[in-house]
Structure formats: structure tokens, C-alpha cells
Amino acid sequence: LACASAEGTCVVVRTNGQMFRTLKHSAAVFGCTWSPFETGLLATASQDCNIYLWNVGGSAELASTPLVVLQGHKGKVFNVAFSPLLPDMLLSSSDDKMARVWDVKTKTSTVLAGHTSNVRGILWHTEISFVAITGSWDATIRVWDVRTGACMKKICDHHADVYGIAAHPD
């Protein structure tokens, strides 16, 4: 279990409740996600505009420093989500009004631009590997082709901030 905190830490807890690791950041941590492909790989989203990748499964010394720092957002990073279908692909949302799709191996990203306010909710499509969905304080949900960064659909059914997005399992 990984828990992000405004105190500038991400705490990793074992299933028996025992604290396993404390990952220290220079600013608040708003989101975290585990890689479904690489055991012990955790990504964290920080107020300092960066995304950190950690090897939590290794030694305490190895886990004390991030493996990689992904830089590119111009506002706090609010959320992160690894793709359930594509190894090394990470989706992030930010107060810079954008989402990004990162290749964590090359440290490059595709910008998903179009929202007019902070982006909060993010979701990967569970069956179509190149589709991601974002929700924003601009009251819209957007469906993206992450290969090109093109918005395929804009949904305007909300009249207030969109914070979360979930897909039905069927």
C-alpha cells in the first residue's frame, strides 16, 4: 500500500500494517501509482511539478533516492497512472492545464493539451492501449489518442470541476 501526503512523503505500508518505506520529497505529494509490470516500481506526483520513480522493492538505501525524475509540467502534478496495457507508459495530470503521457525509459512525453483549467482525473482505457481519459476543473472530460496527443472526444456533461474518473469493469 502506498499513501501520498501533503507533508511531503509517500509512505509504503505492508499488508499487515507495518511501515516499510518512507519516500521523502521536497514538497507535497498528491498522487502515487504502482507499475503493473515492474515489481516495486512506484511513481509519485509532487507539488514541485515533478514526477518521481522509486524502486521500493530494493534495499532501503536504494529506495531513499528516486531512480528517475520526470520533468516537464509547469504546475503541480496532481495524479499519475501507469498504463495497464503498455509497459513503461505513465499518464500524469497537472495544474498547468495539461496531461502528459510519459515513456519512463526514455523520459520523453506526449502533451495532452486542450483543457482550460487544472487537470485532476486520469484514466487509461482498459482494453484500447492508446486511449486515455482526463477530467478537469473546466468541467470537461476528454478522450485522447496518446500516440498523437489528439483529443478524440470532449464531453461537456458536467457543470463543475471533474476530480475522478472510473471505468466500469464490464
Side-chain angles (χ1 to χ4, degrees):
L1 179 66
C3 311
S5 172
E7 68 185 358
T9 62
C10 181
V11 175
V12 179
V13 180
R14 294 185 188 276
T15 54
N16 66 3
Q18 178 187 10
M19 188 171 72
F20 181 61
R21 299 269 190 266
T22 299
L23 309 174
K24 296 182 180 177
H25 296 65
S26 63
V29 183
F30 295 107
C32 55
T33 185
W34 293 102
S35 168
F37 296 101
E38 195 170 330
T39 302
L41 182 63
L42 180 72
T44 57
S46 179
Q47 184 174 11
D48 69 5
C49 307
N50 296 320
I51 298 161
Y52 296 90
L53 300 180
W54 306 83
N55 179 354
V56 177
S59 68
E61 182 180 354
L62 183 61
S64 67
T65 305
L67 293 172
V68 174
V69 179
L70 300 174
Q71 299 176 313
H73 281 295
K74 304 296 183 218
K76 80 177 174 189
V77 184
F78 189 77
N79 214 342
V80 284
F82 275 106
S83 169
L85 302 174
L86 298 172
D88 307 324
M89 300 305 287
L90 179 72
L91 179 62
S92 62
S93 64
S94 173
D95 281 4
D96 62 9
K97 305 175 187 174
M98 295 180 210
R100 286 179 180 258
V101 177
W102 300 87
D103 180 322
V104 299
K105 293 296 185 206
T106 64
K107 302 179 192 174
T108 59
S109 68
T110 300
V111 175
L112 307 179
H115 284 293
T116 58
S117 191
N118 301 343
V119 182
R120 288 292 187 259
I122 56 175
L123 178 71
W124 285 97
H125 196 288
T126 58
E127 295 178 348
I128 305 172
S129 63
F130 61 86
V131 173
I133 304 159
T134 59
S136 169
W137 282 5
D138 65 10
T140 69
I141 296 169
R142 290 177 182 256
V143 181
W144 305 91
D145 181 332
V146 302
R147 300 169 298 183
T148 63
C151 180
M152 300 187 299
K153 177 80 174 170
K154 179 180 173 184
I155 302 164
C156 302
D157 293 335
H158 286 282
H159 303 287
D161 305 348
V162 177
Y163 282 92
I165 302 169
H168 190 276
D170 292 335

